[in-house]
Amino acid sequence: MSRMPYRCLRRILTTMALLVAVFGSDMAVAGESRTAISAYGEPALPADFPAFPYANPDAPKGGTLRLSILGTFDNLNPFVPKGIAAQGIWLGNRQIGAPSMLVFQGLMARSEDESFSLYALIARAVELPDDRSFIVFHLDPRAHFSDGAAITAADVEFSWALLKEKGQLYQRGYYSNVSKVTIIDPHTIRFDLAAGNRETALVIAQMPVLPKHAINPDTFETTTFTTPIGSGPYVVANVDAGRSITFRRDPNFWARDLPSTRGLYNFDEIRLTYIRDVNTQFEAFKAGAYDLRMEQSASRWATGYDFPALRDGRVIRERVPTGTPKPMSGFVFNTRRPLFADILVREALTQVLDFEWINQNLFFDLYKRSDSYFAASELSSHGRPASARERALLAPFPSAVTPDVMEGRWSPPHSDGSGSDRQSARRAIDILSMAGYELNGARMVRPMPDGRGDEALSFEIMVVSRDQERLALNYARSLQRIGVTASVRLVDEAQYWKRLKSFDFDMILNIWNVVASPGSEQMNRWSVASADREMSLNYAGVREPAAEAMIRAMVAAKSREDYVAAVRALDRVLLSGTYVVPLFYAPDQWIARRADVKRPNYTPLTGAAIESWWHAVP
């Protein structure tokens, strides 16, 4: 065997040194490129899948889908905190029943039929090592923006840097977990990731890609009605500020034949009309002003859908099951207030809500009681004794979980459904006595610290709609029976959000919606830091280190078993803290649609996927 010339050997060694410099020491363990990734295990679909199972590849294209959005908007940039962004442009904080990601796309597409799996889109393939210390994206050379400009690695790096500095608060947090970005070539980019959060790679893979050539970073944070340029299936065709926005399908949509988009985005136009009042919105649906309604009111679902178009078959009403965890809804205690800093007070006030009476008399027994922050799923701790994995996670925090919650014996308080259950009232009074309160006539009071008289137990419930007001007034009447005064204050939307973002309230009603695979977003709800950060979703002011530790265990989990244990442990910590008076959830989606608006027979895990619907051929 001839010896390799020294010059060739030196060239090889130099090349290897350059590769290590670019890729780091993990180069050898990166593995081969793949077209899909999952949070745990392998994605459900094979590499050659033709379309998502909830999409109809043969669905006809055409027609206009008319939708109604509650509220208003003053911004076409959904990536900044300022203003109220129009729905549909990007995922953001979308309303139920509104489409998303019509204009902008992420690097990869999330399947609505799996808890957390991503498939090729702008990135045609990725490299991801087992330790998830980095991720390399190989961009599809066909990908381009709606103005024809090619999508390159420079656009991806620009998007990451801009959103990390000036994007929504959750984006700034997520994208700060990247330690280094390296453009390898115009269609290849690598993100080195901070240790401890295995979810970060998938979060970056969902990052929206913005056009570097069309965005001025200096003015990015201001509200704007400038038409955005994205790479998605639609472009913004018309805007009536605050009233409506119309999206038109892009005939040059670059990804129309990809498996992750085939059979989706079938309407030629999607028109969103904004209406400020929910009753006016419903009357508009009855009159045929829009095509699809996802109902949120049990009483309206039970009694309001008796109108000519439904009776003669022009409107179809259906209940659609979902497989995702059900949200926690409830009256939220602001524990920043001295009154609610006392867990005994919180426990007492949870006793008197008469869910059984409310559900029967106000909501036609259509709701189920919220008994978990991840209800009706394997992630819920309700009715389950803590596993060995959970107990190991919770061991450093011996006082964070109460024995009944740890053993799976806890449930929300139950009443006799009479509306005047004496036993629940007595339990509440007994607990308040342990907090130093006593009934003085018709008032619940305790001595003031300075000894000058008594202090009455009273607070305000802030609401933003008539439906919330009705529920709060019912709760206030129940509280009055034990001498507690709860005043109900209905405020307009602008004042509500202003007070909410600065935590200027005693109690509110809130729903914490849950994705199929909860993860890093939970930090914005329950971490110690978020309790003092304006605009966070930590409305209760939770400052429990155990909650934050369980979230870190969730995002660091390497197996599904470890992940489920961490989520259940978080659930136990939150339930033990009594941060809300639990309310209820709808077990299914309640949908009404025009008969000529069709949907596939297959319903994905997350429920109805509007992106897969179409108009019937005349």
Side-chain angles (χ1 to χ4, degrees):
M1 180 183 294
S2 60
R3 298 180 62 185
M4 181 181 293
Y6 172 74
R7 198 176 304 173
C8 293
L9 179 60
R10 186 176 63 180
R11 195 172 295 164
I12 291 172
L13 291 173
T14 301
T15 302
M16 290 180 64
L18 288 171
L19 287 171
V20 170
V22 172
F23 291 103
S25 60
D26 294 315
M27 181 182 64
V29 297
E32 62 184 22
S33 295
R34 61 187 84 176
T35 58
I37 53 177
S38 185
Y40 306 99
E42 294 298 321
L45 302 178
D48 60 348
F49 77 100
F52 285 137
Y54 51 88
N56 176 8
D58 300 320
K61 306 287 187 183
T64 297
L65 178 66
R66 302 169 303 160
L67 299 173
S68 176
I69 303 297
L70 194 63
T72 186
F73 69 95
D74 60 9
N75 193 7
L76 296 187
N77 182 355
F79 305 114
V80 295
K82 192 173 182 180
I84 303 172
Q87 298 283 311
I89 296 174
W90 173 249
L91 183 62
N93 189 25
R94 68 166 166 170
Q95 286 189 21
I96 295 174
S100 64
M101 296 186 284
L102 300 180
V103 175
F104 289 95
Q105 294 176 301
L107 286 159
M108 304 186 77
R110 185 166 186 168
S111 169
E112 299 291 331
D113 201 40
E114 300 173 55
S115 60
F116 202 172
S117 292
L118 306 177
Y119 293 84
L121 191 59
I122 292 176
R124 60 179 174 81
V126 299
E127 296 173 43
L128 183 64
D130 290 340
D131 65 2
R132 300 193 178 183
S133 58
F134 68 87
I135 185 168
V136 176
F137 296 100
H138 299 276
L139 308 186
D140 193 319
R142 300 169 295 178
H144 62 77
F145 294 104
S146 59
D147 63 356
I151 298 177
T152 68
D155 294 301
V156 177
E157 181 186 41
F158 170 80
S159 303
W160 166 78
L162 184 63
L163 296 174
K164 182 173 71 75
E165 179 184 357
K166 299 183 177 182
Q168 296 283 2
L169 295 181
Y170 71 90
Q171 292 173 322
R172 300 181 195 190
Y174 289 166
Y175 303 157
S176 293
N177 288 327
V178 174
S179 59
K180 181 182 178 183
V181 178
T182 304
I183 294 178
I184 297 168
D185 64 45
H187 290 101
T188 311
I189 185 169
R190 168 176 164 144
F191 289 81
D192 287 278
L193 311 175
N197 189 335
R198 292 177 59 82
E199 188 184 69
T200 300
L202 281 78
V203 170
I204 297 299
Q206 295 177 96
M207 183 180 70
V209 180
L210 313 181
K212 182 178 181 180
H213 67 280
I215 292 178
N216 181 353
D218 295 334
T219 59
F220 182 69
E221 293 178 279
T222 61
T223 58
T224 181
F225 281 107
T226 300
T227 301
I229 295 173
S231 62
Y234 289 83
V235 296
V236 174
N238 186 62
V239 176
D240 184 358
R243 296 183 177 89
S244 69
I245 181 169
T246 301
F247 301 91
R248 183 170 300 131
R249 193 151 53 88
D250 184 356
N252 298 314
F253 176 43
W254 74 273
R256 61 182 176 272
D257 294 322
L258 292 183
S260 58
T261 62
R262 192 172 294 132
L264 306 179
Y265 312 115
N266 300 309
F267 299 99
D268 282 347
E269 284 191 347
I270 299 177
R271 185 178 306 147
L272 309 183
T273 301
Y274 283 74
I275 300 176
R276 290 179 180 268
D277 177 72
V278 67
N279 294 319
T280 303
Q281 186 187 49
F282 181 59
E283 292 302 317
F285 179 73
K286 289 165 61 177
Y290 59 99
D291 301 319
L292 167 65
R293 179 175 179 81
M294 299 232 180
E295 186 56 69
Q296 301 300 300
S297 167
S299 57
R300 190 177 295 114
W301 182 254
T303 65
Y305 284 81
D306 183 16
F307 51 91
L310 192 135
R311 290 195 295 269
D312 64 23
R314 285 176 290 144
V315 169
I316 296 171
R317 192 172 70 137
E318 55 192 346
R319 298 173 68 150
V320 177
T322 64
T324 53
K326 302 304 184 288
M328 169 60 82
S329 73
F331 289 98
V332 183
F333 298 106
N334 184 355
T335 62
R336 303 169 186 83
R337 299 288 205 244
L339 171 65
F340 293 143
D342 189 340
I343 192 172
L344 288 174
V345 173
R346 304 200 301 269
E347 288 177 352
L349 300 189
T350 64
Q351 299 295 321
V352 297
L353 180 83
D354 195 337
F355 166 75
E356 287 73 21
W357 187 93
I358 290 171
N359 198 30
Q360 181 178 358
N361 291 276
L362 301 184
F363 302 124
F364 303 87
D365 278 330
L366 289 173
Y367 286 130
K368 293 187 178 297
R369 189 74 188 270
S370 295
D371 52 24
S372 165
Y373 287 80
F374 313 98
S377 76
E378 70 167 336
L379 303 179
S380 169
S381 68
H382 181 254
R384 295 182 171 107
S387 66
R389 278 187 172 94
E390 293 175 68
R391 292 178 183 273
L393 288 170
L394 292 166
F397 310 97
S399 62
V401 176
T402 59
D404 58 341
V405 174
M406 187 74 82
E407 295 161 12
R409 295 184 286 104
W410 177 88
S411 282
H414 183 82
S415 76
D416 62 11
S418 66
S420 57
D421 187 334
R422 296 191 177 200
Q423 292 299 319
S424 61
R426 174 50 56 194
R427 289 194 301 269
I429 292 171
D430 288 346
I431 297 171
L432 285 172
S433 70
M434 291 188 286
Y437 287 91
E438 63 179 2
L439 265 176
N440 185 353
R443 299 166 68 240
M444 183 65 67
V445 299
R446 67 179 174 183
M448 296 181 68
D450 58 10
R452 294 186 300 174
D454 292 330
E455 176 185 35
L457 203 167
S458 64
F459 59 92
E460 178 186 273
I461 307 174
M462 183 175 69
V463 298
V464 72
S465 70
R466 293 296 178 185
D467 286 343
Q468 286 191 355
E469 183 183 42
R470 180 174 65 156
L471 194 55
L473 288 171
N474 179 277
Y475 182 42
R477 284 192 291 271
S478 296
L479 291 167
Q480 191 173 25
R481 293 175 48 239
I482 63 168
V484 176
T485 300
S487 60
V488 179
R489 183 174 182 183
L490 176 65
V491 300
D492 62 37
E493 190 173 354
Q495 183 181 359
Y496 179 80
W497 288 108
K498 181 179 180 181
R499 290 182 59 182
L500 197 65
K501 73 178 184 180
S502 60
F503 311 121
D504 181 20
F505 60 85
D506 297 332
M507 176 179 279
I508 58 169
L509 283 87
N510 190 58
I511 300 175
W512 284 283
N513 288 311
V514 191
V515 296
S517 182
S520 297
E521 81 285 347
Q522 300 295 312
M523 281 291 188
N524 194 39
R525 303 179 180 193
W526 317 118
S527 70
V528 175
S530 67
D532 296 316
R533 186 176 64 239
E534 285 199 358
M535 299 181 68
S536 82
L537 300 183
N538 192 346
Y539 299 131
V542 177
R543 290 185 174 88
E544 173 54 68
E548 188 164 327
M550 297 311 106
I551 300 170
R552 295 192 187 282
M554 288 163 54
V555 299
K558 295 183 178 181
S559 70
R560 180 71 182 175
E561 292 77 15
D562 286 343
Y563 171 76
V564 170
V567 181
R568 288 181 185 172
L570 172 64
D571 193 31
R572 295 184 199 277
V573 171
L574 297 176
L575 293 173
S576 298
T578 317
Y579 299 109
V580 303
V581 181
L583 285 172
F584 41 70
Y585 62 85
D588 306 302
Q589 288 181 326
W590 300 330
I591 297 176
R593 58 182 169 91
R594 301 291 156 188
D596 60 351
V597 174
K598 304 295 184 181
R599 68 180 185 89
N601 293 327
Y602 185 96
T603 301
L605 178 74
T606 58
I610 297 174
E611 291 81 2
S612 67
W613 294 21
W614 67 90
H615 259 305
V617 176

